[in-house]
Amino acid sequence: MIQKAFKMKLKPGCRAEYKRRHDAIWPELKKAITETGVYDYSIFLDEETLTLFAYEKLQPDNTADKQKDMPLFHKWWDMMADIMEVNPDNSPVCIELKEMFHME
């Protein structure tokens, strides 16, 4: 199992819309995430700073790095671009976090 964590940033006033869109996540996007080897994925919000903290578990043989090349992910990013900080291609600005401690 591989664990990854990263942070993203929500734009002010967009908390409810971000939650609404994720509550209605497309079934085909969930399937694509799973098919690339992600089997556990959570996103948390620090409401004070609007920082989104994401945590995912991946299969050792995952292909999650190929998500950036998949049109479905670009479609999702385009839809989310108005409520998050994004890169020029509309992918969310993600800052990977270094694991400092883990306990099972």
Side-chain angles (χ1 to χ4, degrees):
M1 177 213 24
I2 299 166
Q3 301 178 112
K4 288 193 176 181
F6 52 95
K7 63 181 181 174
M8 301 171 286
K9 192 79 168 186
L10 198 56
K11 290 181 180 177
C14 295
R15 179 198 171 284
E17 183 59 19
Y18 183 90
K19 176 81 170 118
R20 186 190 70 74
R21 292 180 193 182
H22 279 77
D23 285 347
I25 193 169
W26 308 328
E28 62 271 26
L29 184 61
K30 286 175 71 172
K31 182 178 179 206
I33 291 168
T34 301
E35 287 175 348
T36 60
V38 178
Y39 67 91
D40 190 1
Y41 184 30
S42 296
I43 301 172
F44 301 87
L45 173 64
D46 176 347
E47 293 192 59
E48 192 175 314
T49 66
L50 298 178
T51 299
L52 296 161
F53 167 77
Y55 170 78
E56 60 186 10
K57 292 181 183 177
L58 300 103
Q59 300 292 345
D61 60 345
N62 75 83
T63 58
D65 60 327
K66 295 188 182 197
Q67 292 175 357
K68 67 185 180 314
D69 301 320
M70 300 170 71
L72 182 60
F73 285 86
H74 285 264
K75 184 177 173 185
W76 179 260
W77 297 341
D78 291 346
M79 185 189 71
M80 298 299 290
D82 63 324
I83 63 172
M84 299 178 66
E85 290 183 6
V86 297
N87 295 304
D89 67 352
N90 280 345
S91 64
V93 173
C94 293
I95 299 168
E96 197 163 329
L97 301 173
K98 182 178 176 124
E99 183 176 304
M100 299 298 289
F101 175 76
H102 175 76
M103 185 178 95
E104 283 193 37

